Amino acid sequence: MTQRIHFNEVVTRDGFQMEPEFVPTEAKIALIDGLSQCGYAKIEVTSFTSAKAIPMLRDAEEVMGRIQRVPGVEYTVLVPNLRGAERAMDVKPDEFNLVMSTSETHNLANLRMPREHSFAALREVIERFGAQVPINVSLSACFGCPMEGDVPQAEVMQWSQRFADLGVRGLTICDTTGMAQPRQVAAMCKVLQQRFPDLQLTLHFHNTRGMGLANVLAAVQSGIDRFDGSLGGLGGCPYAPGASGNICSEDAIHMLDAMGCDTGIDLQRLLPIARQLPAIVGHEVPGQVAKSGLITDLHPAPPSVAELKKEFS
């Protein structure tokens, strides 16, 4: 049977948060409306964090309120705490995404508090809104921290278990710093599926060291069927030294389609949108397929080939 893969697009939240120039609200809405027509399982629209902390996403309410929602697509938002969740409820998201790190140092750098404080804040959100909105928890730095080094698999599992015990719908295991390698990914995926067979498990990779698609492949071969990606490969973590963009959505989807997986994504619709991204952000983006085309896009042979065929026939 064809393996079904569900793809989550994070460009307008995780992708844009690192951009130095504000992306206009109208451009964000138009981009999301275009992506909504491409077959994504989820689109992470924005984040209800402080405008001072992330000025790029200061228009969260307006963007969520004006996008054209398509049936079958879940529109998810990141909420950092109870206050953010209360703001987000007014625009009726399909899912809350909550974030903390499995690395104490990264959590302090990124969220400015110890992990136990983050857990307590996120538990408040789950207890208050878990019966009203499906909740996913994204655990950062699960494959390594650039400040601490290795993050033991047991550490990832114990934080995963604590959130599973609170009744969350899903877990996203994040390679926030691009330190994962395929054998490590396969081992993590095996244990995750054994421990949490009833949770919606998603993998979130960065391509910092060029291993992003290799890690996606390792996860797919291990049975994982949900992935985050960012159009054009935009994104990164401002509090993880050296961490560059997320895996490129269209590149990963193209790879999986070429392998015979069913991603549900219409690449013929997605690639023209991806090609608009440099104009939106004002610079080139890392994605490759939008530049080179699909492997099924053939080109006419040069005229000399016809002459050579005649000569050697």
Side-chain angles (χ1 to χ4, degrees):
M1 293 179 63
T2 301
Q3 190 170 357
R4 180 68 167 95
I5 306 295
H6 305 272
F7 234 85
N8 310 328
E9 180 56 63
V10 303
V11 65
T12 54
R13 199 284 296 174
D14 197 353
F16 283 174
Q17 71 177 8
M18 287 282 285
E19 290 299 312
E21 298 297 327
F22 184 75
V23 176
T25 301
E26 295 294 338
K28 292 171 184 164
I29 293 167
L31 179 56
I32 294 164
D33 286 348
L35 293 169
S36 292
Q37 302 295 327
C38 294
Y40 281 100
K42 294 181 188 178
I43 297 175
E44 187 179 41
V45 174
T46 189
S47 173
F48 283 81
T49 51
S50 161
K52 183 182 293 187
I54 306 182
M56 173 64 77
L57 304 179
R58 62 180 182 259
D59 53 3
E61 282 90 349
E62 185 176 359
V63 172
M64 271 297 289
R66 291 178 54 198
I67 57 173
Q68 299 296 310
R69 301 195 188 194
V70 171
V73 182
E74 290 191 1
Y75 297 89
T76 182
V77 298
L78 187 148
V79 295
N81 49 37
L82 197 57
R83 183 178 178 184
E86 289 167 348
R87 281 177 56 205
M89 285 298 290
D90 291 338
V91 291
K92 300 179 173 57
D94 296 316
E95 180 186 73
F96 281 165
N97 185 31
L98 314 181
V99 178
M100 66 165 284
S101 183
T102 56
S103 156
E104 182 75 356
T105 304
H106 182 256
N107 206 74
L108 286 165
N110 189 28
L111 301 176
R112 305 182 65 81
M113 66 181 77
R115 290 174 298 177
E116 287 295 344
H117 289 208
S118 286
F119 179 77
L122 300 185
R123 182 176 57 200
E124 280 190 319
V125 176
I126 296 166
E127 291 174 347
R128 173 80 175 273
F129 294 108
Q132 302 172 59
V133 183
I135 291 179
N136 181 80
V137 174
S138 291
L139 293 173
S140 303
C142 289
F143 295 92
C145 169
M147 295 160 283
E148 289 185 12
D150 182 52
V151 173
Q153 187 184 89
E155 193 77 0
V156 177
M157 293 304 150
Q158 73 99 359
W159 285 106
S160 298
Q161 187 65 60
R162 291 179 72 176
F163 283 109
D165 291 344
L166 293 176
V168 300
R169 176 175 71 163
L171 290 171
T172 298
I173 305 302
C174 302
D175 179 29
T176 314
T177 59
M179 295 173 71
Q181 45 86 0
R183 186 168 292 176
Q184 177 191 22
V185 168
M188 182 81 77
C189 291
K190 180 180 179 181
V191 176
L192 282 166
Q193 291 172 100
Q194 290 173 343
R195 286 277 296 271
F196 310 107
D198 298 324
L199 288 186
Q200 196 179 85
L201 297 172
T202 302
L203 270 289
H204 176 110
F205 294 114
H206 285 236
N207 198 41
T208 311
R209 293 168 179 84
M211 291 191 283
L213 293 191
N215 289 329
V216 170
L217 179 59
V220 168
Q221 291 175 336
S222 301
I224 296 296
D225 61 3
R226 289 184 179 272
F227 295 90
D228 286 349
S230 180
L231 198 71
L234 288 183
C237 177
Y239 303 103
S244 57
N246 296 269
I247 59 163
C248 174
S249 297
E250 63 270 25
D251 290 0
I253 291 162
H254 176 258
M255 179 188 77
L256 294 169
D257 280 359
M259 292 168 53
C261 298
D262 174 14
T263 62
I265 303 291
D266 184 346
L267 272 172
Q268 297 294 348
R269 283 192 169 190
L270 182 61
L271 286 184
I273 298 172
R275 290 175 181 133
Q276 297 170 16
L277 196 58
I280 294 173
V281 296
H283 60 79
E284 284 299 310
V285 299
Q288 296 299 309
V289 175
K291 300 167 187 172
S292 60
L294 308 177
I295 57 173
T296 53
D297 293 342
L298 304 183
H299 304 276
S304 59
V305 170
E307 295 300 320
L308 289 167
K309 283 183 177 179
K310 289 179 182 178
E311 180 181 340
F312 289 103
S313 62

